[in-house]
Amino acid sequence: MKILVVGNGGREHALLWKLRRDAPEAELFVTHANGGMHGLATSVPLASGEIQAIAGWAEQNAIDLTIVGPEAPLAEGIVDHFSTHGLPVFGPTKAAAQIEASKAFAKTLMQRHGIPTAAFQVFDDRAAAKAYVREMGGPLVVKASGLAAGKGVMVCDDTAQALAAVAEIMEHAAFGVAGAQVVIEERMTGEELSVFALTDGENVLPMLPAQDHKRVGEGETGPNTGGMGAYAPVALATPELMARVEAEILRPTIAAMAAEGHTFRGLLYAGLMLTPDGPKVVEFNARFGDPETQVVLPLLRSSLLVPMLAIARGESIAGTTLEWAPGAAATTVLASGGYPGDYSTGVAIDLPAEVERMEDVVIFHAGTQRAEDGALATSGGRVLAVTALAPTVAQAAERSRAAAERITYEGRHFRRDIGWREIARAGNHA
Ligand code: AMP
Ligand code: GLY
């Protein structure tokens, strides 16, 4: 079997790692392999945005399954291209990917179908947006509707901040065309939970819930990032809560997408907030989360490939179950100096071989590149995700941190408090 993964970050490295375990004999390919993927997959010299060229390459090379990692090619219609050529591909169509690419689409879908989410209004006129902010008063969240690499959301404490956020997005175009429309919503309170669900468009197969750390600083301080770490499982996500999430959110959303003519096949990622009134949707993504994938997949004992292949072929996953390893996983993201602001690339990384050999530690590469002589250097803001497995989250976090400390490069920074909420809950400081 020949499998192509589109994308070259930490999430895609984790997907390749899992696919290799599921199918040791498969031939794996990846668009522009990063510095950790050589040896695992053959690098295809195409960028993830070259959707027509990727579809052409997959056809020429008789690829049996293509898995799309990032949201941008999904939003541009890569899956529609593949389907036109009759090529099996895992991911939603362009129309279905709107659930992530347009917050206005996602919010109005939830409203029409009674799916719990924060109260909101959509605006494309800034005067009307400002009038609404003044009318509502108090804490609000102002969001650019389009794709903004996880940065288009401004959580505001008061009216003045919310007015400034509207001005920044709609007048100063802080997020470009993504901010032509804004969604203004009620500010919810509670812990967040990331829930992935595999879906064939009708059946949903929820995966192990995870929590990520979006802020750059310890104790959830400083600006938002793509994600500085994650862990799973989460004790708050009891079987009762997960049954509720499935019944009130996942199934109704997949049914709503089908009913409106945008059948969603692939991976639905529900970003939830566990509010005093129950779980509510913060946002949907049309793909696996990064870095949550780097903790969820290492705990998956059963095959990921089997349900992915069924979904890509348009078959049903009814009756499929997933089996999880006992214990926990935590991942620490090592970032470039300056990230999430400006940072330099091409910085030499010292990744000692004995760290790579540490038991129950897996190092997923994100923004790395390898020179011809094998030297490893940075190539992005998030550089590595160091995952560790252990019986408890506290122990996994400790092991991940210990491995992270031993990997060095100029400007390296990472959070040393991954999983702190869970550790405080369990009271089991390792
Ligand atoms: P998003 O990109 O939509 O996931 O938003 C980024 C982050 O902003 C979320 O992870 C939340 O921490 C926060 N956020 C978004 N919407 C809300 C809301 N309605 N209430 C409170 N916090 C929110
Ligand atoms: N970890 C957040 C995301 O993947 O969007």
Side-chain angles (χ1 to χ4, degrees):
M1 170 169 306
K2 290 179 171 183
I3 306 172
L4 169 66
V5 171
V6 176
N8 64 355
R11 162 185 51 213
E12 289 78 22
H13 191 178
L15 283 164
L16 289 167
W17 176 90
K18 176 61 178 157
L19 292 166
R20 171 56 71 223
R21 304 191 129 206
D22 290 350
E25 76 296 344
E27 264 185 272
L28 303 180
F29 299 88
V30 64
T31 56
H32 277 314
N34 69 30
M37 293 169 169
H38 300 283
L40 190 55
T42 304
S43 186
V44 179
L46 291 170
S48 61
E50 297 179 76
I51 62 179
Q52 304 199 18
I54 295 172
W57 184 91
E59 190 165 30
Q60 268 167 22
N61 290 276
I63 297 298
D64 299 291
L65 171 65
T66 298
I67 296 164
V68 185
E71 62 274 16
L74 292 168
E76 282 161 30
I78 190 170
V79 168
D80 308 65
H81 270 287
F82 271 72
S83 303
T84 317
H85 292 85
L87 296 164
V89 56
F90 181 90
T93 59
K94 179 175 182 160
Q98 284 183 93
I99 202 162
E100 171 167 6
S102 166
K103 290 188 194 291
F105 172 90
K107 293 292 286 191
T108 54
L109 178 93
M110 288 187 270
Q111 187 175 49
R112 284 192 294 278
H113 296 269
I115 295 158
T117 190
F120 72 100
Q121 293 246 15
V122 180
F123 297 93
D124 38 32
D125 175 81
R126 60 190 185 219
K130 288 184 172 176
Y132 180 72
V133 166
R134 288 199 190 89
E135 179 196 324
M136 297 299 290
L140 290 171
V141 181
V142 180
K143 303 182 173 185
S145 178
L147 289 181
K151 292 184 189 126
V153 173
M154 300 193 182
V155 179
C156 305
D157 295 326
D158 52 39
T159 305
Q161 278 184 15
L163 288 172
V166 171
E168 203 170 316
I169 299 176
M170 301 193 91
E171 282 159 38
H172 308 130
F175 309 108
V177 290
Q181 255 189 341
V182 298
V183 174
I184 301 180
E185 50 182 65
E186 159 208 3
R187 180 164 158 188
M188 302 184 285
T189 56
E191 275 197 47
E192 290 181 56
L193 193 68
S194 300
V195 179
F196 299 164
L198 293 160
T199 177
D200 57 12
E202 186 188 347
N203 301 286
V204 299
L205 198 50
M207 302 181 78
L208 202 62
Q211 241 174 10
D212 74 343
H213 295 277
K214 290 204 175 79
R215 302 295 196 97
V216 73
E218 287 170 16
E220 316 312 324
T221 54
N224 265 316
T225 68
M228 293 298 288
Y231 63 93
V234 183
L236 281 178
T238 57
E240 295 70 32
L241 180 87
M242 289 308 292
R244 205 172 156 187
V245 167
E246 192 174 329
E248 294 177 12
I249 294 169
L250 300 175
R251 288 188 184 284
T253 301
I254 292 305
M257 290 296 280
E260 297 205 357
H262 314 300
T263 299
F264 187 102
R265 289 190 193 86
L267 190 287
L268 181 69
Y269 161 165
L272 306 178
M273 197 164 275
L274 306 180
T275 77
D277 304 328
K280 292 189 183 180
V281 177
V282 176
E283 63 161 355
F284 284 120
N285 294 313
R287 38 91 192 159
F288 283 92
D290 189 340
E292 293 97 320
T293 303
Q294 291 91 307
V295 292
V296 172
L297 296 189
L299 291 170
L300 179 58
R301 261 196 185 157
S302 53
S303 173
L304 177 65
L305 176 58
V306 168
M308 279 187 139
L309 198 54
I311 292 165
R313 287 176 174 162
E315 296 164 5
S316 169
I317 56 165
T320 307
T321 53
L322 299 174
E323 211 186 298
W324 298 97
T331 198
T332 302
V333 169
L334 273 64
S336 291
Y339 176 83
D342 293 340
Y343 53 84
S344 28
T345 57
V347 177
I349 302 170
D350 180 19
L351 171 48
E354 62 270 22
V355 177
E356 296 198 82
R357 286 197 297 266
M358 278 171 74
E359 207 173 323
D360 293 322
V361 170
V362 191
I363 296 167
F364 295 116
H365 289 234
T368 74
Q369 57 191 340
R370 223 174 257 286
E372 269 171 26
D373 65 358
L376 194 64
T378 65
S379 66
R382 290 190 292 171
V383 177
L384 296 158
V386 181
T387 296
L389 301 170
T392 67
V393 169
Q395 291 159 345
E398 173 63 35
R399 187 170 287 173
S400 163
R401 186 161 52 240
E405 294 285 4
R406 296 173 63 187
I407 303 169
T408 53
Y409 52 87
E410 201 188 322
R412 174 203 72 168
H413 66 95
F414 62 93
R415 285 181 57 170
R416 292 174 173 78
D417 65 345
I418 302 306
W420 65 271
R421 284 198 178 88
E422 186 74 13
I423 296 166
R425 255 195 289 283
N428 61 348
H429 301 266

